[in-house]
Amino acid sequence: MTAGGPGPGAVDLFGRAQPSGGIAGDSLVRIEGLHKWFGRLHVLKGIDLELAQGEVLVVIGPSGSGKSTLLRCVNLLEVPTQGTVWFDGKEITDIRTNLNEVRTHMGIVFQAFNLFPHKTALQNITLALEKVLKVSSDEAKDRAVEQLQHVGLAHKAGSYPGQLSGGQQQRVAIARALAMRPQLMLFDEVTSALDPELVGEVLEVMRKLAEEGMTMMVVTHEMGFAREVGRRLVFMDDGQVVEDGDPKEVMRDPRNERTKQFLSKVL
Amino acid sequence: MATKTARATPVQEAGPPDVRGPTSLFPASIFWAGIGSLSLVLGGTALVQARYAIAGGPLGQGCLRAGLRPYHPKDITNPGIRGAEGVCHIVEGLRSTGQTALLAAGIALGLAAIAAGFARYRSMDSKRKREHALSGAVLGIQSAVLGAFLLWFRGSRTLVTFTQNFLNFAVLKGSLGGFLNGAKYTLFLAFGGEIGGIVLGLVLALFALSERRVVRAPARVYINFFRGTPLIWQLPFFYFLFILGLGIHWNAFNAALLVFSLNTGAYAAEVFRAGIQSIERGQMEAARGLGFSYLQAMRYSIVPQAIRRVIPPLLNEFVILIKDTALVVVLGLSINQLDLFSFARQGYSDSFNATYFVGAAIGYLVITLPLIRVVNQVERRLRSGLVGIAGAGA
């Protein structure tokens, strides 16, 4: 693959042996040699990362370091230019993978919420249950109500996104992802678009989720959340993982020079 | 839903204070002079016309000199002119001394309002005074221009000929049923073309948005062909393509219905494409992130949102199509399926009187004016509601 080559990656997939099932131990996600180019821009420069079952991985780093791109490569909303992503023992960068099916097992929440504005909170949740998972409409409704209770918004079931605050919209978005009963939750700077007084309610939902044992990958600028809820912290800079360890330790005693600089500015 | 949020907070406060200030006698008189001048020119002309029409009476000397003769259909050698009296009354009214006085008074008052308004508005000390002075002057301009035009028009040496051929409404007597029937077929062609066009346009838009060039290309060729050639050419070309080229013997009406659909499809496709592209990228990503396929995401998330946004431009296209159906006249519809324009042309060729076309124009306006109102209202409502629909920005 040449640098700057356009189009989706996975060029080197042809002729590759199929995975013989099962990757090491309890890794839910494994990323190997991941590169991503946007046009001539080299955004991810060889990422290797594993995410264990039940782990809460927090990804921090300066703007443009590739955090969000990395997260979006896990569910292939961005197609890696080069490299392999495994999920639950399957190589999902294989071109033959049914990505629609794979994505039902991992929820993603965005910075801009991206709720469907023409649907109520409840319909936002039931839509994918009915149309993708083919759940009956009664069961979909039950599951949606259950998840709305989970995020404390059962009383807003009939509201449209435009009638909800940013924090409430984001909690509905989390409920929408959780209703699919995913094995993994991806959070892409989910509090960055919120007014400061609304950040807390969303982080609270995520903390509860972590305590319940959900496997999570969280790209964030919330250092307090990273330290207290994260089990593992990855610092990215210029498309590479430069530090990887226990959040409290990394924040107290960063080994890498760039991590030190970054933390001295944000802490 | 957006409209609900918009309606949610009725403002009960007193509102901002009135800072436009008071008016006074002089600017108010300028304003009323403007109103008065326009009333004299327009209202006066209407009143004079009404008076002459109601008074009736036989053809006057002037009209006889101009060649108007009373109508005697039984007299084969000299049948006269149908509706000659009505034509004569219009002309006599326009040329009456009363009309002269009204036009002169209106123009004089208008000029006075123009002079006073423009000369003095700068020295006025409140917003409302200035508004009155300027509005009066602008109304004065309108009445002076209209009055001058009417003076010129009524002085024309061929006024009788024009009136006889274009404003001889007596010839339309008994045609109401024909016009209503024409309106029916006009609407039938427009509705049929629009519905076919919307279905076709949505499919074409989805093709035109494909990432694959091989899917995109045929849609683009189709859209550019139908947008790039005149409808008045498409109608006969496809009509004869069916009959002579393919041996399908459709009547002109059905062929026209199909061509209107094909043509509208191209325009609707561009409207849908723009609408779909205006939906935030995040909507597609959210849907794909939940496991929807591309087509499912389009069907359940993107297209329903896009349709709300394209309602006003689609209604606009519909108004244009209503008028464009008149082009079907080039195919020559059968006598029992005439649209408004074809009926008018039929009447014209029977009577050699172009008042039929004026009748058709009135018919089109009766249909299109309410629709234009609806378009403007829907547009206003959607504009105020779009903030809520955008969602992410809230």
Side-chain angles (χ1 to χ4, degrees):
Chain A
M1 193 86 210
T2 50
V11 166
D12 58 346
L13 287 169
F14 298 99
R16 173 180 295 189
Q18 268 295 88
S20 51
I23 50 171
D26 49 0
S27 277
L28 185 59
V29 177
R30 199 171 94 198
I31 297 167
E32 269 180 17
L34 181 67
H35 285 264
K36 178 68 186 179
W37 275 268
F38 287 118
R40 305 192 66 81
L41 193 65
H42 198 177
V43 180
L44 295 178
K45 302 173 179 174
I47 306 275
D48 298 296
L49 197 68
E50 281 191 40
L51 185 55
Q53 197 83 248
E55 200 164 37
V56 178
L57 172 70
V58 178
V59 185
I60 63 170
S63 309
S65 57
K67 317 180 287 287
S68 286
T69 308
L70 173 62
L71 184 99
R72 293 155 59 89
C73 278
V74 174
N75 75 349
L76 265 73
L77 273 185
E78 296 294 352
V79 180
T81 314
Q82 207 174 22
T84 338
V85 178
W86 304 65
F87 176 75
D88 198 21
K90 283 194 298 271
E91 189 203 322
I92 59 172
T93 35
D94 186 320
I95 200 163
R96 289 164 294 189
T97 310
N98 178 357
L99 282 177
N100 297 332
E101 199 274 331
V102 169
R103 287 191 186 119
T104 61
H105 301 295
M106 29 182 157
I108 183 164
V109 185
F110 303 90
Q111 179 176 345
F113 326 142
N114 296 343
L115 291 179
F116 305 130
H118 59 304
K119 302 271 181 197
T120 63
L122 190 85
Q123 291 165 342
N124 259 278
I125 302 174
T126 54
L127 188 64
L129 294 177
E130 289 177 26
K131 305 302 177 191
V132 178
L133 296 187
K134 312 288 184 198
V135 168
S136 75
S137 73
D138 284 344
E139 198 198 328
K141 206 178 154 206
D142 290 345
R143 270 162 83 164
V145 170
E146 179 193 333
Q147 288 306 330
L148 281 174
Q149 279 163 352
H150 200 194
V151 299
L153 286 173
H155 60 294
K156 294 287 185 187
S159 300
Y160 286 90
Q163 298 168 313
L164 300 174
S165 76
Q168 291 170 333
Q169 287 189 56
Q170 196 59 295
R171 281 148 66 198
V172 172
I174 293 172
R176 178 172 72 174
L178 287 175
M180 306 290 285
R181 300 196 176 140
Q183 295 166 262
L184 166 70
M185 283 289 288
L186 305 169
F187 293 91
D188 187 4
E189 299 193 27
V190 293
T191 57
S192 298
L194 293 176
D195 292 337
E197 80 264 27
L198 302 177
V199 169
E201 61 189 75
V202 173
L203 292 183
E204 195 44 49
V205 167
M206 291 165 67
R207 178 201 302 273
K208 213 162 84 182
L209 201 54
E211 280 163 8
E212 288 162 10
M214 175 62 76
T215 313
M216 293 162 66
M217 183 168 171
V218 184
V219 170
T220 189
H221 293 295
E222 296 290 332
M223 291 303 147
F225 177 85
R227 179 164 42 211
E228 283 152 40
V229 182
R231 310 271 163 78
R232 186 172 149 209
L233 183 137
V234 158
F235 177 76
M236 282 186 69
D237 188 48
D238 194 26
Q240 285 167 320
V241 171
V242 292
E243 193 137 0
D244 184 347
D246 178 75
K248 294 189 180 71
E249 274 172 36
V250 173
M251 287 195 193
R252 190 182 337 114
D253 182 24
R255 271 162 288 174
N256 184 288
E257 198 49 44
R258 280 178 291 182
T259 320
K260 276 182 199 169
Q261 277 175 14
F262 179 78
L263 288 174
S264 72
K265 282 177 199 154
V266 297
L267 284 181
Chain B
M1 198 178 289
T3 48
K4 284 188 189 163
T5 18
R7 257 189 258 118
T9 50
V11 183
Q12 285 295 329
E13 288 171 38
D18 182 6
V19 292
R20 296 192 303 154
T23 187
S24 63
L25 186 61
F26 181 54
S29 351
I30 299 175
F31 178 67
W32 286 108
I35 298 268
S37 63
L38 200 55
S39 312
L40 284 169
V41 172
L42 287 181
T45 306
L47 278 176
V48 170
Q49 286 300 319
R51 205 186 84 87
Y52 274 79
I54 292 165
L59 292 171
Q61 282 305 314
C63 293
L64 290 169
R65 263 200 308 273
L68 288 178
R69 292 287 177 274
Y71 189 45
H72 299 296
K74 300 239 171 78
D75 183 347
I76 293 165
T77 53
N78 187 12
I81 290 154
R82 195 175 164 194
E85 285 83 2
V87 171
C88 182
H89 296 149
I90 290 176
V91 173
E92 281 178 341
L94 277 172
R95 287 182 170 163
S96 65
T97 42
Q99 176 81 45
T100 314
L102 285 166
L103 286 181
I107 291 172
L109 199 54
L111 291 175
I114 295 170
F118 283 132
R120 299 298 300 280
Y121 87 95
R122 279 177 196 282
S123 61
M124 291 178 181
D125 59 2
S126 84
K127 180 97 176 146
R128 186 170 274 133
K129 287 179 190 169
R130 288 184 172 210
E131 287 303 323
H132 272 166
L134 281 177
S135 303
V138 171
L139 288 167
I141 294 175
Q142 291 164 8
S143 43
V145 169
L146 277 168
F149 172 78
L150 282 172
L151 279 177
W152 179 30
F153 173 64
R154 70 176 200 156
S156 161
R157 277 193 298 152
T158 45
L159 181 63
V160 172
T161 315
F162 174 81
T163 310
Q164 181 193 325
N165 280 292
F166 285 89
L167 302 174
N168 186 356
F169 292 98
V171 301
L172 300 187
K173 217 167 160 189
S175 298
L176 183 65
F179 276 112
L180 286 178
N181 220 29
K184 186 176 99 188
Y185 285 107
T186 287
L187 282 173
F188 196 88
L189 283 172
F191 269 116
E194 188 66 28
I195 288 165
I198 282 175
V199 173
L200 182 61
L202 189 53
V203 174
L204 280 170
L206 292 177
F207 280 18
L209 283 166
S210 169
E211 282 178 13
R212 292 194 177 81
R213 188 172 290 181
V214 289
V215 178
R216 225 165 44 219
R220 290 290 356 152
V221 168
Y222 179 96
I223 292 168
N224 290 339
F225 173 79
F226 277 96
R227 296 210 314 162
T229 51
L231 185 49
I232 201 168
W233 171 84
Q234 289 165 12
L235 281 164
F237 179 82
F238 285 99
Y239 179 46
F240 289 115
L241 179 72
F242 298 141
I243 293 182
L244 301 178
L246 303 172
I248 303 170
H249 287 272
W250 273 8
N251 70 25
F253 192 84
N254 291 341
L257 208 51
L258 184 69
V259 175
F260 286 136
S261 291
L262 296 177
N263 182 277
T264 304
Y267 286 94
E270 290 293 78
V271 170
F272 278 121
R273 186 181 58 78
I276 288 170
Q277 282 177 330
S278 78
I279 304 297
E280 298 71 28
R281 240 173 59 111
Q283 290 294 316
M284 177 56 87
E285 290 181 347
R288 299 307 303 274
L290 285 165
F292 284 95
S293 69
Y294 175 83
L295 282 179
Q296 280 181 319
M298 277 289 175
R299 176 168 162 204
Y300 296 114
S301 171
I302 311 293
V303 170
Q305 294 180 56
I307 282 179
R308 279 150 212 252
R309 292 193 192 178
V310 300
I311 287 171
L314 280 182
L315 280 173
N316 253 327
E317 291 290 338
F318 182 54
V319 173
I320 294 171
L321 179 60
I322 289 173
K323 297 172 291 169
D324 281 353
T325 55
L327 294 171
V328 75
V329 75
V330 299
L331 296 189
L333 293 177
S334 64
I335 195 82
N336 56 351
Q337 285 182 315
L338 295 178
D339 73 309
L340 259 180
F341 194 78
S342 302
F343 173 75
R345 200 189 60 164
Q346 185 75 38
Y348 173 74
S349 19
D350 291 348
S351 66
F352 293 108
N353 195 301
T355 310
Y356 277 96
F357 290 118
V358 178
I362 293 169
Y364 283 109
L365 284 172
V366 167
I367 297 171
T368 53
L369 287 185
L371 253 174
I372 290 169
R373 253 183 95 95
V374 170
V375 177
N376 290 340
Q377 267 165 9
V378 171
E379 230 166 15
R380 209 171 313 133
R381 253 181 54 183
L382 277 184
R383 230 198 321 275
S384 62
L386 266 182
V387 192
I389 287 184

